[in-house]
Amino acid sequence: MKENLPLRICVIGAGTRFLGGISYYTLHLVNALASSYIVSAILMRQLLPTRLYPGHRRVGSITTKLAYDPRARIFDGINWYWLPSMLRALLFLRHERPDVVTLQWWSATVLHSYLLLALAARLLHARVVIEFHEVLDPGEAKLPLVSTYVRLLAPLLLRLAHGYVVHSEHDRKLLAHAYRLGQRPVSLIGHGPYASYTASTTPQPEQISPTDSASSCNLLFFGLIRPYKGLEDLIRAFDALPASEIEGYRLTVVGETWEGCTQPAALIEQSPYRQRITFVNRYVADDEVAQYFAGADAVILPYRRASSSGALHIAMSCGLPVVVTRVGGLVEAVAEYEGAIVVPPGDAEALRDALRKVAQLRGRRYRDPHSWDRTVDGYMALIEEL
């Protein structure tokens, strides 16, 4: 490390062309670190051939209004096929001369690029940290070639790292089970809030029933519709509410379908309460995200597995009551959040009872215990240890 000089950190993560949860996390992390360090970022621009991406129809067409801190220097970015983008990225890295490089890991599509960047960082005498959002994406884990590719090459990347970051004790155990970490430190640093969606705004018109908007509890499911998200369980739980009670509820489902997960859409169409369900089956832009959360009375996330959830952190930033399942890192994420109801995964009956309970919390708002200051403090402690 350079004595008596400000610490320099380079964050390597997702760009906004393939806009998703890690794009937002990378941006928020860079901006949080920029308040304490000299920060730069190298972004993954073209993750893979567009036609192979589950949300290929909207690649590049949806952008975020969030912006990087002007104090941070940004290289946007690297294409999966490298030329000439990787050469420019390496020149950028050499120019920045970071003391610490932190790589945001979430997808096998970036593995080959991360290997080269981590090696270059080591040659520049930087400390390398890998921050895990997933040990392996659930969709990629189902693909034999991809999972074999990761199993063979990921250990090489991990050996180039000086330390690791996870968001939960659950992920720490998964990581230790999957790889030999040796004596390198594994730091548990919580996910920061997404407070940019909490500004006062008007709910989307289609969420509001003209006859019962004042009395109905609007339940929101938000996020990609994938097999592990358990949306089917939520629809079955909603259908299980008796007709004598259903006037007190509405369900809003907002999300883009991935991995051929069409059963939720079929269940919505077959629901006896179809007229009380709003289904927005696409990826929505920032303004719409804020509007859907503004119109929600509670957020329901019936995941069957999860390491973390961006939708959960938006909900907590908004102070909304939430129902989450007892899986992965979700229980740890809501441990200090007073507005959380936790249920077993895959249990439609327990979920139905939770819908009744959360309806009683309608109108209440809760303090979000998470902050990016805590994230920066966690990184500071890890960097000092390294």
Side-chain angles (χ1 to χ4, degrees):
M1 299 292 180
K2 307 175 183 68
E3 296 293 336
N4 302 319
L5 292 175
L7 200 68
R8 304 176 71 91
I9 300 179
C10 181
V11 179
I12 300 177
T16 58
R17 176 170 167 76
F18 288 70
L19 189 62
I22 308 302
S23 307
Y24 290 100
Y25 186 90
T26 301
L27 185 149
H28 280 87
L29 178 63
V30 168
N31 290 353
L33 291 171
S35 64
S36 303
Y37 303 106
I38 297 174
V39 178
S40 58
I42 295 175
L43 305 180
M44 301 293 112
R45 182 179 181 277
Q46 183 76 26
L47 297 178
L48 72 169
T50 300
R51 66 183 180 277
L52 299 180
Y53 186 67
H56 62 90
R57 290 182 179 85
R58 49 93 174 173
V59 168
S61 65
I62 297 181
T63 58
T64 176
K65 291 185 177 180
L66 299 179
Y68 280 93
D69 190 304
R71 293 172 292 185
R73 285 175 48 81
I74 310 298
F75 176 79
D76 187 12
I78 294 177
N79 300 322
W80 66 272
Y81 48 86
W82 281 11
L83 296 176
S85 59
M86 179 58 79
L87 176 59
R88 293 171 179 166
L90 293 173
L91 291 173
F92 177 87
L93 190 66
R94 188 180 69 173
H95 178 269
E96 292 300 314
R97 292 276 174 178
D99 302 295
V100 177
V101 170
T102 175
L103 301 106
Q104 306 299 302
W105 170 261
W106 80 103
S107 167
T109 61
V110 300
L111 178 52
H112 66 301
S113 298
Y114 277 16
L115 274 168
L116 183 55
L117 292 166
L119 179 60
R122 291 291 297 250
L123 293 174
L124 291 170
H125 306 292
R127 294 290 186 265
V128 176
V129 174
I130 304 174
E131 180 169 351
F132 285 87
H133 299 273
E134 293 272 7
V135 175
L136 181 60
D137 177 85
E140 294 177 345
K142 297 177 182 178
L143 304 174
L145 287 177
V146 175
S147 58
T148 300
Y149 167 69
V150 173
R151 187 173 66 252
L152 292 175
L153 293 186
L156 301 178
L157 176 64
L158 269 70
R159 283 199 289 271
L160 289 170
H162 296 87
Y164 314 100
V165 171
V166 294
H167 297 306
S168 67
E169 188 61 39
H170 170 267
D171 278 6
R172 190 202 301 267
K173 292 176 182 177
L174 281 181
L175 186 62
H177 177 75
Y179 301 108
R180 296 179 181 179
L181 304 180
Q183 300 302 310
R184 300 176 183 90
V186 182
S187 184
L188 200 165
I189 301 177
H191 194 301
Y194 287 153
S196 55
Y197 300 111
T198 60
S200 176
T201 188
T202 303
Q204 286 281 8
E206 61 265 32
Q207 288 180 270
I208 303 173
S209 167
T211 59
D212 58 12
S213 60
S215 60
S216 296
C217 178
N218 186 29
L219 309 169
L220 174 65
F221 173 95
F222 182 89
L224 295 175
I225 298 173
R226 305 180 68 180
Y228 75 88
K229 294 290 187 78
L231 178 54
E232 302 96 319
D233 301 329
L234 172 56
I235 299 163
R236 292 188 178 105
F238 188 74
D239 286 350
L241 291 166
S244 59
E245 298 178 24
I246 197 62
E247 291 296 322
Y249 299 88
R250 287 185 58 79
L251 175 60
T252 301
V253 176
V254 182
E256 179 181 58
T257 297
W258 278 27
E259 301 170 62
C261 187
T262 57
Q263 187 181 15
L267 289 174
I268 288 173
E269 289 305 316
Q270 298 163 12
S271 172
Y273 303 136
R274 179 64 184 91
Q275 297 306 311
R276 306 196 67 79
I277 302 175
T278 297
F279 186 28
V280 183
N281 192 199
R282 58 183 174 83
Y283 198 95
V284 297
D286 289 355
D287 288 345
E288 293 180 277
V289 175
Q291 290 175 324
Y292 283 115
F293 277 87
D297 295 304
V299 174
I300 318 297
L301 302 172
Y303 296 178
R304 295 171 180 172
R305 65 163 301 282
S307 289
S308 61
S309 167
L312 174 59
H313 284 278
I314 298 174
M316 290 191 290
S317 293
C318 295
L320 289 165
V322 297
V323 176
V324 297
T325 42
R326 193 175 289 109
V327 296
L330 299 190
V331 177
E332 294 174 59
V334 300
E336 301 175 62
Y337 189 67
E338 295 181 356
I341 297 173
V342 181
V343 298
D347 189 334
E349 184 176 348
L351 188 54
R352 178 203 61 194
D353 293 341
L355 299 185
R356 287 171 166 155
K357 292 177 183 177
V358 81
Q360 297 172 13
L361 304 179
R362 184 172 183 251
R364 298 188 188 182
R365 294 296 180 266
Y366 302 90
R367 183 189 66 84
D368 186 355
H370 302 279
S371 75
W372 288 105
D373 287 341
R374 289 173 64 171
T375 300
V376 172
D377 289 345
Y379 259 98
M380 188 176 299
L382 176 61
I383 290 167
E384 289 176 356
E385 183 176 358
L386 296 179

